[in-house]
Amino acid sequence: MKLNVSNQNPLYLQLKQIIKEDISRGVYKAGQKLPPEAEIGKTYGVSRITVRRAITDLVEEGVLHSQQGKGSYVRELKEKRELISVGSFSDMTTASGKTPSNQILSNLIIDADEKLAETFRIAVGDPVLKLNRLLFIDNEPFIIETSYFPLAHMPDLEKYVAASSSTYQILKSKYGIEPAYSDKTLEVVLASDYESGLFQCDRGTPLYLIDKITYDKQDRPLHYSQSQYLTSKVIFTIHTGKRGSD
């Protein structure tokens, strides 16, 4: 396919539009590398300078991203997550029209150490469920999550978690417990060999780490979790109320 030289639009703008259309039609998928500039130029009958300008514009617009010495790639769309929301992963994912799932990496009962005892207001040595999960959106790994639950308030919880992708739904249906609010901290860390293996990314890739303590309406701590996200796959938003409100 050759570009139309008689078209009033410059060739690089025509090429930009064609690449965008190819991305929207799935010719180039999120994360996929584009062909080399020389190959694109030969396909559309334009110079490498024209190709380079089109690609540079698409990088500036956030459609593509370039890696030095490796080429240009289709930028992955980021999932939006409300940072101060207490909604469950399953509910938020389903509401966005996508499919949540999870893989349980470990499901262990441990003795509360001093930190967990202080967090849950229990005695050191009391039983706590430690649950490690890999959460997926449309079969793509999205969150590595380590959660802790005080079993004094949730007996036999370890027997139920394998049967549902939503721990919040289990808390509600089995124990009549509903989360009301949470305290969170957010920082950026670098992926270790463990995280890079689960996320299928390079060691040292930036990750968001969220520490969260969730409470019920009686201010009782329900669970403590640490969740890791690829910074390339999520953007956090904060909703503070209606416009014009204090």
Side-chain angles (χ1 to χ4, degrees), residues 74-85:
V74 179
R75 187 177 293 279
E76 296 189 41
L77 296 178
K78 293 188 176 184
E79 290 287 329
K80 286 188 176 181
R81 282 293 184 267
E82 172 59 39
L83 188 58
I84 59 176
S85 170

Side-chain angles (χ1 to χ4, degrees), residues 18-34 74:
I18 288 174
I19 293 174
K20 285 181 177 180
E21 290 174 357
D22 283 346
I23 292 171
S24 66
R25 290 189 294 112
V27 176
Y28 303 120
K29 301 183 184 299
Q32 183 175 341
K33 181 181 178 181
L34 263 62
V74 179

Side-chain angles (χ1 to χ4, degrees), residues 12 16 19 37 48-66 72:
Y12 82 93
K16 276 178 58 180
I19 293 174
E37 292 178 357
R48 290 186 65 174
I49 293 175
T50 298
V51 175
R52 189 170 296 124
R53 182 169 182 184
I55 289 177
T56 298
D57 277 14
L58 291 171
V59 169
E60 291 177 353
E61 292 174 11
V63 177
L64 304 176
H65 70 95
S66 292
S72 299

Side-chain angles (χ1 to χ4, degrees), residues 161-189:
V161 290
S164 171
S165 61
S166 173
T167 53
Y168 280 9
Q169 184 59 40
I170 293 172
L171 296 184
K172 181 178 180 180
S173 62
K174 297 294 183 181
Y175 306 100
I177 295 174
E178 291 192 58
Y181 67 95
S182 60
D183 291 333
K184 298 178 183 177
T185 61
L186 171 67
E187 62 178 313
V188 175
V189 297

Side-chain angles (χ1 to χ4, degrees), residues 86-99:
V86 295
S88 73
F89 166 77
S90 296
D91 289 344
M92 287 188 288
T93 302
T94 302
S96 69
K98 299 183 179 180
T99 304

Side-chain angles (χ1 to χ4, degrees), residues 34-201:
L34 263 62
E37 292 178 357
E39 184 177 333
I40 295 175
K42 183 178 181 180
T43 300
Y44 297 104
V46 295
S47 68
R48 290 186 65 174
I49 293 175
T50 298
V51 175
R52 189 170 296 124
R53 182 169 182 184
I55 289 177
T56 298
D57 277 14
L58 291 171
V59 169
E60 291 177 353
E61 292 174 11
V63 177
L64 304 176
H65 70 95
S66 292
Q67 295 185 18
Q68 186 67 33
K70 293 185 177 181
S72 299
Y73 297 78
V74 179
R75 187 177 293 279
E76 296 189 41
L77 296 178
K78 293 188 176 184
E79 290 287 329
K80 286 188 176 181
R81 282 293 184 267
E82 172 59 39
L83 188 58
I84 59 176
S85 170
V86 295
S88 73
F89 166 77
S90 296
D91 289 344
M92 287 188 288
T93 302
T94 302
S96 69
K98 299 183 179 180
T99 304
S101 59
N102 79 87
Q103 175 187 350
I104 294 180
L105 304 173
S106 65
N107 180 359
L108 304 171
I109 297 177
I110 63 173
D111 296 333
D113 58 16
E114 291 186 2
K115 179 180 179 181
L116 290 173
E118 180 179 0
T119 298
F120 293 129
R121 305 166 195 165
I122 58 178
V124 173
D126 279 1
V128 171
L129 174 63
K130 179 181 180 181
L131 179 65
N132 288 315
R133 299 190 300 169
L134 182 59
L135 308 180
F136 299 82
I137 293 180
D138 290 344
N139 296 318
E140 291 290 329
F142 188 63
I143 306 174
I144 301 171
E145 179 188 78
T146 303
S147 298
Y148 301 86
F149 300 85
L151 292 178
H153 306 312
M154 311 163 195
D156 298 323
L157 177 60
E158 73 281 359
K159 298 178 182 178
Y160 299 123
V161 290
S164 171
S165 61
S166 173
T167 53
Y168 280 9
Q169 184 59 40
I170 293 172
L171 296 184
K172 181 178 180 180
S173 62
K174 297 294 183 181
Y175 306 100
I177 295 174
E178 291 192 58
Y181 67 95
S182 60
D183 291 333
K184 298 178 183 177
T185 61
L186 171 67
E187 62 178 313
V188 175
V189 297
L190 302 180
S192 67
D193 289 336
Y194 176 73
E195 288 91 31
S196 63
L198 292 174
F199 278 137
Q200 301 169 25
C201 66

